[in-house]
Amino acid sequence: MALGKDSDPDYFGSLRRLLILISAGLLLALFLVWRIDNARVEQFRVTLLDRVTPGFEWTLRPVAATARMIADLRAWRRVYQQNEELRREVQRMQGWREAALQLEQKNARLLALNNVRLNPRLTYVTAEVMADAGSPFRRSAMVNVGRADGVSDGSTVVDGLGLVGRIAGVGERSARVILLTDASSRVPGVVLPSGQRVMVSGDNSVAPPLDFVGQAEALRPGDRVVSTGDGGLYPPDILIGRVTLGADGRQRLRPAADYRRLDFVRVLRRAPPAVIDGPGEIIGPLAAQPDLPPAPPEAAQ
């Protein structure tokens, strides 16, 4: 009677068990060889290592690479933690740095205000900019001085660098400043060193154009523009800004005042004219002088 598939002898199972027994025997023998303390056995171990180790060198490379990778991962983790701590420290330092820069800039502007030389006939009052009342159609700001401080409509406003604008609307303790860049602002100026007369016309942009230029080719980028005093609204010789070339190819003005950091300004006040109470200091007409005697005739020759 024929045998079925289930009754076939299991050669692979027997071979597997035999290999396991041989491997276990070899490992046991190797263990015993390594445990025996004998000079001949020691020589055998050294000879065995000399013959076996070069052949298994390729198996040690992945192990060494894996060990190095694990060490690198641990080092990377430490570096990552240190980097996170440094990031937090840099963020804290940036906050302190920003505060220090703001204080430094405010101090510089206050020092610049103290060093501005003005016409001796002008007095001033320092004001703090309370709010920016600007809009897409108007460029203005509010200051904390008003009629009680001697400020009037049309008073000139400057900062530590140059012209800011003029007062347009005064209250008892506050006033509104129309900035130089406002569309309703017109400032007559002169370009130095060429001496060309220009009109700085605000157009609600950061760089107002220069109008009524006599000789445009005489203007160079970087030339200084100062007020002329024409019309009596602005005092003469106040720095307005410098000539620059706009993206449209038109000559424009880069204002000297820093509108982005406008914290403190000076409002100029004109000294009242001297009042003459009487004619005491007036020089009257010369009194009539008596007739002088005629000169003696010359001696006869």
Side-chain angles (χ1 to χ4, degrees), residues 6 54 100 119 121 150-151 160 169 196 208:
D6 295 337
N119 191 316
R121 292 180 298 176
V151 177
Q196 292 292 314

Side-chain angles (χ1 to χ4, degrees), residues 129-142 176-179 181-182 204:
V129 179
M130 298 186 296
D132 183 3
S135 68
F137 308 102
R138 182 177 291 273
R139 295 289 183 268
S140 62
M142 299 295 296
R176 185 166 66 92
V177 180
I178 295 296
L179 302 182
T181 56
D182 187 81
N204 293 338

Side-chain angles (χ1 to χ4, degrees), residues 4-8:
K5 290 184 179 181
D6 295 337
S7 61
D8 291 340

Side-chain angles (χ1 to χ4, degrees), residues 156-203:
T156 303
V157 181
V158 298
D159 68 352
L161 300 176
L163 182 65
V164 173
R166 59 182 172 84
I167 297 293
V170 184
E172 193 66 23
R173 294 291 179 183
S174 62
R176 185 166 66 92
V177 180
I178 295 296
L179 302 182
L180 176 68
T181 56
D182 187 81
S184 62
S185 174
R186 300 290 185 274
V187 182
V190 59
V191 181
L192 302 177
S194 65
Q196 292 292 314
R197 297 283 179 138
V198 296
M199 180 69 70
V200 181
S201 304
D203 61 350

